[in-house]
Amino acid sequence: MTDAETSTDPLRHRMYFWLMNVCLFFAAAGLVDWFIDPYDMDDAPARYVAIDAVVLIFNGFVPLFLMVAKFMRDDYAEALWRRSLVVVAYGAAVIPPILILGPWLLYFVLGGDGSLRPEFYIAFEEAFYDSDVKPYMVVGKVWLTFMLLFVGVFQFLRWRDSR
């Protein structure tokens, strides 16, 4: 190993965590912006489109890079990476059945007779089964959600380890 390789190793390992911090910041900023101003992209001002492009880069593409950039992870980051993916995988297995069955179970627990579908379940179906939704939009939202969940879980586990 040369001196140049030895001196860059700690920097790239630290840079992995720095990029994770930046991704978490943009995830929070994007979420706050979405709650404050859920504008339609068709009539959004140019500055919003530019800001959204930067947020998309740090919410989707940088986490994608960090997920596959094994060369940037040290042993601790690798262990966190594995633990994060296990948590996200459990969530991907458990959350969809809860979202599908949860409203029905809640309806019956609250005393529904089952003869009519509950109103909140109809609203839920309209949100998830809208006929105007295009498959590439669904894939894009699932991908972005997975990236953001990975970053969030990674940072949470990192925070918990530091305590």
Side-chain angles (χ1 to χ4, degrees):
M1 217 180 232
T2 66
D3 289 335
E5 287 176 312
T6 306
S7 66
T8 59
D9 283 346
L11 177 63
R12 73 176 175 207
H13 297 319
R14 284 192 311 267
M15 206 160 156
Y16 188 83
F17 290 110
W18 292 341
L19 286 171
M20 276 291 187
N21 292 340
V22 171
C23 289
L24 185 65
F25 169 77
F26 276 101
L31 190 61
V32 167
D33 180 52
W34 182 71
F35 278 121
I36 290 174
D37 188 19
Y39 52 84
D40 186 15
M41 287 303 292
D42 294 336
D43 57 354
R47 69 175 185 271
Y48 282 146
V49 174
I51 291 170
D52 281 351
V54 172
V55 170
L56 178 63
I57 288 169
F58 282 102
N59 283 350
F61 295 108
V62 173
L64 171 66
F65 171 74
L66 293 174
M67 284 185 83
V68 299
K70 187 176 177 81
F71 69 93
M72 289 186 73
R73 295 190 291 263
D74 59 1
D75 292 337
Y76 176 66
E78 183 70 24
L80 272 177
W81 182 85
R82 290 178 190 277
R83 288 170 44 204
S84 299
L85 284 182
V86 166
V87 171
V88 171
Y90 282 140
V94 172
I95 290 173
I98 290 172
L99 287 177
I100 293 169
L101 298 175
W104 281 105
L105 293 173
L106 183 63
Y107 177 68
F108 290 124
V109 167
L110 294 177
D113 61 0
S115 62
L116 296 174
R117 295 187 312 172
E119 290 299 319
F120 58 85
Y121 193 79
I122 293 171
F124 174 79
E125 281 182 339
E126 289 174 358
F128 281 95
Y129 304 115
D130 188 5
S131 62
D132 294 336
V133 175
K134 295 173 180 49
Y136 68 88
M137 292 298 291
V138 172
V139 171
K141 286 184 180 188
V142 168
W143 168 69
L144 192 58
T145 302
F146 185 82
M147 293 293 115
L148 294 176
L149 281 175
F150 170 74
V151 169
V153 169
F154 185 95
Q155 293 289 56
F156 175 77
L157 292 175
R158 183 176 161 205
W159 168 79
R160 196 175 75 180
D161 285 351
S162 70
R163 294 184 50 106

